[in-house]
Amino acid sequence: MPVDEDLEERLTRALRSATGEFPPHSADLVRRSVARGRRLRLVRAGQVAATAAVALVTAGGTLMAADAFGTGGEGPPGRPRPGTPASSATRPPAQGLPGISGQEMLRTLESLLPPGGTVSAASGRGSGADGGSVMPAAKLTYSTDKGSSGLDIAVTRLPYGTRAGRAGQGGCLPAEVRPYDRCTTEKLPGGAVLDTTRSFTYPGSDTGQKRWYVVLTTADGAQLTVQEFGGGGEKGSAGGSDPLLSTDRLASIVRSPLWKKAIAAVPAPEEAPGDPGQAPGSHLTGVLKSHLPPGGTVSDVNAGDGLVQLVYDDGHGRSMLEVDVRRHATASLAGHMGCAGVSGDCESTTLADGTVVKKVEGPSEKGGPATVWQVDTLRPDGRRVVVREINSYAESTPVTRPRPALAMDRLLTIALDGRFFTG
C-alpha cells in the first residue's frame, strides 16, 4: 500500500541519518573490552558451552591421569547420597568420541556431595547436547538444615597451546580487575594446576552473595570448574552467608576420577597458530618498569602477550598502570584517533614522524571515583601502544591518591618507547 511504502521510505531515511550523525565509539573502549575480555574469563560455568569456541575436529579425547587428581582410587570422597536426577535431553555425542549423558553428569555430581542434604532444581547437559555442544555440565541446589547453596560443574578444554592457569576458567585474576577475590594456585603431581577462589557474585563489590569456585586444569588441557553460590542459586540471595561446602570439598569434587568419562567426551582443540605480532609479557614488563621513578614499589604484575598491568606505589598511594601493544592497527582505528565522542578532556595531535597521539583524562568508565589518564599512540606503520593509569590499584576500588602517580608527559614517553616492539 502507498502509506506503507511511504512509511518504509521515511523510516529508512531516518535510520540512515541517525547512523551518519551518531558519534563513533571510543577506540579505547574497544581496546579495553578486548584486554579485559582476555582476563575476565571466569564466567558462570554453565555458560561455557555458549562462549567457548572449541572446534570439533579431532577423533578422540584423552583420559585424565590418576596422579592429576592426586588419587588412584575410583570412589568419591563421600558415600553416594539419595536424590532424584532431573532428566536431560541429549543428542548423540560427536562421532568417534565416547559420550556422557546429562543424567550421568548429574548423578556423578550428586554422588560427590556430603550425605544428609537434599537436592532440588537439578539439571544436566551431556556431550553432544544443544546442537553439537561437547561441554558436559550439571547444576543443582543443595540444602541442609543450615541453608542452601547453588552448585554447578562444567568440563571443557583449553585452546591449543595454552598453559594451565592462563586461560579458560583457571588462573587467579589480577587485583587490577578483581580486587576483592581471594585466590590461591596449587601445582599438583603430574602437571595439573588447582586454582581456588573466594569471590562474590558481583565481583566489583566486597558484599552480597558469595561465590566460591575451584578449577582443575590438567597437564593435557582438560579443565573442570565447580562453583558454589551461598544462599541458593546464582543471584538468588542478597545475603553474605558462606556457601555450605568448603573450598576443600569443592577441590575434592573436581579432583575425583569419576569425571574421567566426561573428560574423554570433550575433544582436544585443533592446533592454531599464535599471533607473532604480540610481544611477550615479560619483555613488556621490563620496558615499563624501566620508566618508573626510582624509590617506588611494584606489585600485582599481570603480564601476557601484548599486554602488561602492574601496580606502582611511590610512597604516596598506589596507581595501576597498563600498557597494551599491537601491530597492524591502522585499519581498525580508522577515524578513532580523534576526540569526537570521547568523554573527559581529550587532545589529539600528530607528531613530526606521523605518529598520532591521543591524550585523554577523565572518569572511570566503571562509574567509580577513579580518574583515568591515557595516552594512545598510532605510528604510521600501524604499530600502536596505549598506556593507561588510574589513581587506585583497581577501577572499582576507592581512590588511593588524588591524582595518578605518573604525569601525562611520562606516559607519552612510555608509549613512544620503541623497545616494546623489539622483544
Side-chain angles (χ1 to χ4, degrees), residues 384-416:
R384 183 192 190 196
V385 177
V386 186
V387 183
R388 246 177 121 245
E389 183 184 21
I390 65 174
N391 57 337
S392 185
Y393 67 96
E395 288 190 46
S396 60
T397 58
V399 298
T400 55
R401 52 186 301 128
R403 295 159 60 88
L406 275 59
M408 289 289 284
D409 288 345
R410 189 182 288 265
L411 299 186
L412 177 59
T413 300
I414 295 173
L416 295 178

Side-chain angles (χ1 to χ4, degrees), residues 284-364:
L284 300 184
T285 302
V287 176
L288 175 56
K289 284 184 176 181
S290 71
H291 287 280
L292 301 180
T297 59
V298 173
S299 64
D300 298 296
V301 177
N302 176 54
D305 291 349
L307 184 139
V308 59
Q309 297 170 315
L310 55 80
V311 175
Y312 173 73
D313 190 345
D314 61 356
H316 302 284
R318 290 176 288 177
S319 286
M320 189 274 282
L321 282 159
E322 176 181 287
V323 176
D324 193 0
V325 179
R326 291 290 179 269
R327 297 179 185 268
H328 315 299
T330 302
S332 61
L333 290 178
H336 298 302
M337 288 300 290
C339 291
V342 177
S343 60
D345 297 329
C346 179
E347 176 188 351
S348 180
T349 58
T350 302
L351 304 182
D353 65 354
T355 298
V356 181
V357 176
K358 179 178 175 180
K359 301 178 181 179
V360 179
E361 297 184 18
S364 167

Side-chain angles (χ1 to χ4, degrees), residues 44-53 125 129-130 133-137 154-156:
R44 295 187 302 268
Q47 291 180 322
V48 172
T51 57
R125 182 180 67 237
D130 300 325
S133 167
V134 289
M135 307 299 175
V155 183
T156 183

Side-chain angles (χ1 to χ4, degrees), residues 9-25:
E9 182 178 352
R10 287 187 288 110
L11 181 59
T12 301
R13 286 199 304 267
L15 290 173
R16 287 175 178 172
S17 176
T19 302
E21 295 175 1
F22 197 84
H25 62 272

